[in-house]
Amino acid sequence: MQRNTRRVLSRAGTLVVTLGLMSGSAAVAQDKPTSENPSNIPPSRVIAGRPLHSPPKMNAADARKSVNAFITWAGESVVEEQSTARRALASAAKQPELVQAFMEEILAAHESGDTSRALVGLGLLGEMRTYDGAKFLVEFVRKPLPTKGTVIEGELQEEAQQARLQAKAIAGVAYLRNEEFDREVAYQAGNHPSVIVRAEAISAYLWNRGDSLEARKALEPFVRKEERLYLDRVRRVTGEGADAFNRKLTAYLKAHPEVQAPDPVRKDPRPPEEKPNTFDETPPKF
């Protein structure tokens, strides 16, 4: 439980406020790799070489193609371009053809196994704040999780991967700030089979209500008893200094010591016979 809790806190922290996923995510939404060898051009030079604030235009007449290009652009965008992306998305949200194209692009990326692109698409659709988009996100959150695949350190990778996408989707549902969809967020906060999604639902519900005490009280009955520590989770807000945040974090860890990693324990020195990679003879002089 403690290890899982720390893992969820770490992951959810990367999801909570990146509703558009444009923040500093460079080159994560390429259609498909076209080279067998990695590029020797550092990402910083790639970003520096692209013109800022020049997203591809989205138009209803060529919805799939233009949305496809926009998702690629968003995946390569930087923090300074967030306002530009949001203006483009606000305009696109008024055109049902474009909203539908975002849904189709997300499903195509998900079905092809392109998780990064699906993640970007889900973030953008949530940012658009449309009723139809939120309905799609709810359906996405409700998709059954995989039950077979690769297990690493006791975690089914396919299941965790889809849960991360569904966490992004539930954040978009909460971002609509609609009473009907808020009930879905509250329900998923206590009933989704993945703790990754439950934790994100809690965080998104609270964030969209200013982390108010009233929001916490409204959500608490839906949250599993053993997971109510997520209601207290701290977040660093815009303009907050390190000292102020550290005070909040210290208070949180004091209230919930179970989420702290155990102190490292120094092991006894290994005997020479247990060091197969250690030379047992003095090397000759050169």
Side-chain angles (χ1 to χ4, degrees):
M1 172 63 186
Q2 291 181 8
R3 183 180 181 184
N4 287 338
T5 300
R6 288 192 292 274
R7 179 183 292 171
V8 169
L9 287 171
S10 174
R11 285 176 175 167
T14 66
L15 291 167
V16 60
V17 294
T18 54
L19 290 170
L21 204 84
M22 282 76 75
S23 306
S25 56
V28 296
Q30 298 293 334
D31 289 336
K32 287 183 178 179
T34 55
S35 174
E36 295 181 356
N37 299 316
S39 171
N40 57 2
I41 303 175
S44 58
R45 285 181 55 192
V46 174
I47 293 173
R50 60 187 288 279
L52 297 179
H53 307 290
S54 300
K57 291 184 179 180
M58 290 183 278
N59 61 80
D62 200 3
R64 280 296 296 271
K65 185 177 181 180
S66 59
V67 167
N68 182 300
F70 187 86
I71 293 175
T72 299
W73 173 84
E76 297 174 345
S77 64
V78 294
V79 174
E80 291 82 355
E81 296 177 289
Q82 283 185 349
S83 59
T84 300
R86 286 181 171 134
R87 284 196 296 272
L89 291 168
S91 177
K94 301 172 184 174
Q95 303 179 69
E97 296 87 349
L98 294 177
V99 176
Q100 179 64 31
F102 270 99
M103 300 177 198
E104 293 170 0
E105 285 294 318
I106 291 167
L107 290 178
H110 184 235
E111 290 169 2
S112 69
D114 191 341
T115 303
S116 297
R117 190 174 182 81
L119 193 65
V120 175
L122 288 166
L124 297 175
L125 185 61
E127 187 75 39
M128 294 171 79
R129 300 179 71 181
T130 66
Y131 186 88
D132 288 343
K135 283 179 61 180
F136 171 86
L137 293 173
V138 169
E139 292 172 4
F140 194 91
V141 170
R142 293 178 176 178
K143 285 180 177 291
L145 294 170
T147 57
K148 298 179 181 178
T150 304
V151 177
I152 298 178
E153 295 185 346
E155 183 179 69
L156 181 60
Q157 298 303 295
E158 288 78 1
E159 179 187 24
Q161 194 174 60
Q162 181 158 316
R164 286 191 284 273
L165 292 174
Q166 291 178 328
K168 191 67 173 176
I170 200 66
V173 177
Y175 192 50
L176 186 61
R177 299 171 195 172
N178 170 282
E179 185 176 350
E180 173 186 345
F181 290 103
D182 286 347
R183 287 196 293 271
E184 176 72 17
V185 178
Y187 174 80
Q188 296 296 349
N191 293 282
H192 195 280
S194 170
V195 66
I196 296 173
V197 182
R198 295 197 300 271
E200 180 58 20
I202 294 169
S203 179
Y205 185 96
L206 296 177
W207 184 81
N208 282 285
R209 287 159 185 76
D211 290 319
S212 67
L213 183 60
E214 291 75 15
R216 189 190 189 287
K217 289 180 177 177
L219 185 60
E220 185 171 353
F222 295 91
V223 179
R224 301 182 184 193
K225 184 177 180 181
E226 69 274 17
E227 294 179 354
R228 288 180 181 168
L229 76 167
Y230 297 135
L231 291 166
D232 299 330
R233 188 171 56 193
V234 296
R235 70 177 98 242
R236 189 171 182 179
V237 298
T238 303
E240 185 176 42
D243 291 340
F245 175 75
N246 285 338
R247 283 194 294 273
K248 291 195 302 186
L249 183 59
T250 299
Y252 175 77
L253 294 176
K254 185 177 181 180
H256 301 286
E258 68 274 21
V259 304
Q260 296 190 56
D263 293 332
V265 178
R266 183 181 295 278
K267 293 184 177 180
D268 295 333
R270 297 173 63 185
E273 62 273 20
E274 292 185 10
K275 297 180 180 178
N277 297 323
T278 302
F279 291 106
D280 57 1
E281 296 181 0
T282 303
K285 294 182 179 179
F286 291 101

